[in-house]
Amino acid sequence: MRKLVAALSSLAVIAVHAQDGTPFEARLTVRVDAPGAIIDKNVYGQFAEHLGRLIYDGIWVGEGSPIPNTRGIRNDVLAALGKLRIPVLRWPGGCFAEEYHWRDGIGPRAQRPRRENTSWGGIETNAFGTHEFMDLVELLGADAYVNGNVASGTPQEMADWIEYMTSDSGSELANLRRANGRDRPWKVRFFGVGNEPWGCGGNMRPEYYADEYKRFATFIHDRGDNRVLKIAAGAHDTDYRWTEVLVAQAAKQIDAISMHYYTLPTGNWQRKGSATAFGEDEWRATLARTLQMDELIRGHVAILDRYDPQKRIALAVDEWGTWYDKEPGPDRGALYQQNTLRDALVAALNLDIFNRHADRVRLANIAQMVNVLQALVLTDGDKIVLTPTYHVFDMYRVHQGATSIPVEIAPGPRAADDRGAVPPQASASRDARGVLHVSIVNLEPRRPARVHADLSGARAREASGVLLTGPALNAMNTFERPSAVTPARFTGATVAGGGLELNLPPRSVVVLEVRD
Ligand code: AHR
């Protein structure tokens, strides 16, 4: 924690000294001679909770809607998300998962109960339930991550849900699924045993939750060739004790343990900061708080390494992203927020961190997919806009399933002049075709970065790339101007002497394709 505070206090120094537009100089070493673990495609996962206008409006419009749809799911959102090759989608919460009873969401829609959504307000019609969610993941070609209810549910209810979804037997539950229109069982790859049990998921102590976890997990069964990976609800931020107790008591039954960390510009839940109205100080504070993800992962991984040195248990960062104050103006639903170039950098920094921790971080889900928090897509009636965060996910697709390549970044020879400015951040991977991809983020709001990159043990022959930047710190895509922030060809890479000279514009994300 002390290190986190020190990192934050250095922001004041950064804000004072790094005002000029001289390039920040850095050296990047891409350790192609020391390949690491496979970057699990599932770290590029998404999250869709029954919250605000995410499910209803954002995804589900119903079969009778004038908005073009496939069995009630809007086609424009499907097309946009389909392009990203989303590997996994978490549902139905979040906090909502802990009040959700799956039987409410099956059978004829007109007969489904209307209930209060006590987590996020409004009435839950249950029009979008298990069949609709499974249809969505199949249309997206993604794996299902279903989050179960521990706090207000029972092990029996959880076990029944899994049987309903995955059984091919002649049991009553499998036959009920068939009667409701789905003959074949679905695949459920991931199952979350509760959500945030230290808070909205029951306000439990880790010792108590560890016992509950074991009780519930005992009744999660594999059927046929479906293997359910059981995810224990883990800590938030620096609650290392939660991870320690849980893994000490229940490691044998855990396949993955989650961790939640949100980026708040101010770090203060009462006054988080605006999504769009911010200056250079909040830009820097936001990115510095994002970089804390690396230290948090190291902290939780150090505990896991003691109990599970073989790295069988994955760390699942299944909620991450920016969280701002409610927007002024018309109410666009709970936790709706705009998304700017700053969010693009937050996404890129987090994904780079996950890529670099590929050996342990094997699942991650940005919060959330549409119209809520750090969304990839915003909708308004029949309109849709792709956010800067969407474009980062598109650019970073190349890392999915590739081999992680370690990177080292050091300030260049003029570091002494830089007095605290933040060096570019990066990650790299090699795909199945042997192509190297290097993603680099220049966090400096006004200074370009000049990066000399070497491939240790290899020579670069050709490089091309894609760039995302914008004319202002808060450049954004709106329904009126949907293409203000879009990727463009990167022309700042030159191959020289087997290495690369890179000129990155200020506030930018670049993904390079390098052939060696
Ligand atoms: O993503 C919004 C909420 O944040 C989730 O419901 C909860 O798990 C977390 O606190």
Side-chain angles (χ1 to χ4, degrees), residues 74-97:
R74 53 190 298 166
N75 288 345
D76 50 1
V77 171
L78 271 180
L81 297 173
K83 184 175 175 232
L84 294 185
R85 293 206 308 259
I86 288 173
V88 57
L89 180 58
R90 178 176 183 235
W91 172 84
C95 294
F96 180 78

Side-chain angles (χ1 to χ4, degrees), residues 80-374:
L81 297 173
K83 184 175 175 232
L84 294 185
R85 293 206 308 259
I86 288 173
V88 57
L89 180 58
R90 178 176 183 235
W91 172 84
C95 294
F96 180 78
E98 293 283 26
E99 62 171 285
Y100 185 63
H101 300 283
W102 68 272
R103 283 187 172 84
D104 289 349
I106 58 168
R109 275 185 215 113
Q111 288 164 29
R112 296 185 192 172
R114 295 167 68 85
R115 305 222 185 262
E116 289 179 357
N117 181 331
T118 58
S119 298
W120 304 110
I123 293 293
E124 170 58 57
T125 63
N126 282 302
F128 191 90
T130 301
H131 289 251
E132 291 76 15
F133 170 69
M134 289 299 188
D135 197 16
L136 172 63
V137 290
E138 286 188 343
L139 286 165
L140 290 173
D143 279 326
Y145 172 179
V146 177
N147 210 113
N149 177 346
V150 168
S152 69
T154 62
Q156 186 66 60
E157 183 185 9
M158 192 180 274
D160 287 352
W161 196 8
I162 295 166
E163 181 181 335
Y164 181 87
M165 292 186 284
T166 65
S167 172
D168 203 14
S169 74
S171 75
E172 186 178 296
L173 284 167
N175 284 337
L176 180 60
R177 185 196 66 237
R178 293 186 187 103
N180 286 332
R182 172 72 181 201
D183 190 30
R184 279 178 300 121
W186 291 292
K187 295 262 182 267
V188 176
R189 172 111 193 265
F190 301 100
F191 197 90
V193 181
N195 172 73
E196 298 193 349
W198 38 264
C200 66
N203 289 301
M204 302 175 195
R205 293 172 304 116
E207 293 82 358
Y208 184 81
Y209 173 68
D211 283 343
E212 287 291 90
Y213 175 83
K214 286 189 282 188
R215 188 164 78 107
F216 278 69
T218 302
F219 298 96
I220 297 178
H221 299 300
D222 292 339
R223 289 183 174 78
D225 61 354
N226 188 65
R227 298 277 163 272
V228 186
L229 291 172
K230 297 185 271 290
I231 303 176
H236 63 120
D237 307 2
T238 51
D239 188 356
Y240 298 119
R241 184 170 175 273
W242 184 280
T243 300
E244 175 98 40
V245 171
L246 190 51
V247 81
Q249 290 190 24
K252 264 203 278 181
Q253 280 171 270
I254 297 176
D255 295 313
I257 183 166
S258 70
M259 196 270 278
H260 292 177
Y261 176 60
Y262 285 97
T263 299
L264 278 59
T266 62
N268 174 353
W269 283 97
Q270 270 62 56
R271 200 189 55 79
K272 297 181 264 301
S274 163
T276 53
F278 58 88
E280 207 168 299
D281 286 356
E282 270 195 24
W283 165 280
R284 291 180 180 285
T286 307
L287 300 187
R289 289 182 192 283
T290 299
L291 291 176
Q292 291 174 15
M293 179 67 90
D294 186 67
E295 183 164 345
L296 293 170
I297 289 175
R298 284 177 198 281
H300 292 284
V301 165
I303 296 163
L304 291 174
D305 281 350
R306 273 193 277 119
Y307 291 87
D308 173 38
Q310 306 305 320
K311 299 193 186 289
R312 184 188 63 78
I313 300 175
L315 182 64
V317 188
D318 61 8
E319 288 188 28
W320 66 271
T322 50
W323 194 324
Y324 303 119
D325 289 332
K326 185 173 164 26
E327 304 231 329
D331 187 2
R332 294 175 187 272
L335 305 193
Y336 178 92
Q337 62 190 37
Q338 243 299 1
N339 195 290
T340 69
L341 179 62
R342 177 177 61 169
D343 294 86
L345 269 79
V346 168
L349 292 172
N350 276 305
L351 294 172
D352 281 332
I353 292 168
F354 302 153
N355 289 345
R356 298 199 302 262
H357 289 282
D359 59 340
R360 185 69 87 169
V361 178
R362 299 197 289 268
L363 175 66
N365 305 76
I366 188 171
Q368 300 196 10
M369 191 162 73
V370 186
N371 289 338
V372 164
L373 297 177
Q374 193 175 346

Side-chain angles (χ1 to χ4, degrees), residues 23-29 408-415 418 422-425 440-442 448-454 500-502 504:
F24 183 100
E25 301 222 12
R27 297 187 76 86
L28 167 68
T29 308
E408 291 157 11
I409 293 244
R414 290 202 283 152
D418 287 316
V422 185
Q425 306 289 310
I440 315 177
V441 183
N442 179 10
R450 194 179 295 145
V451 180
H452 176 80
D454 281 315
L500 299 166
E501 298 298 335
L502 308 171
L504 310 178

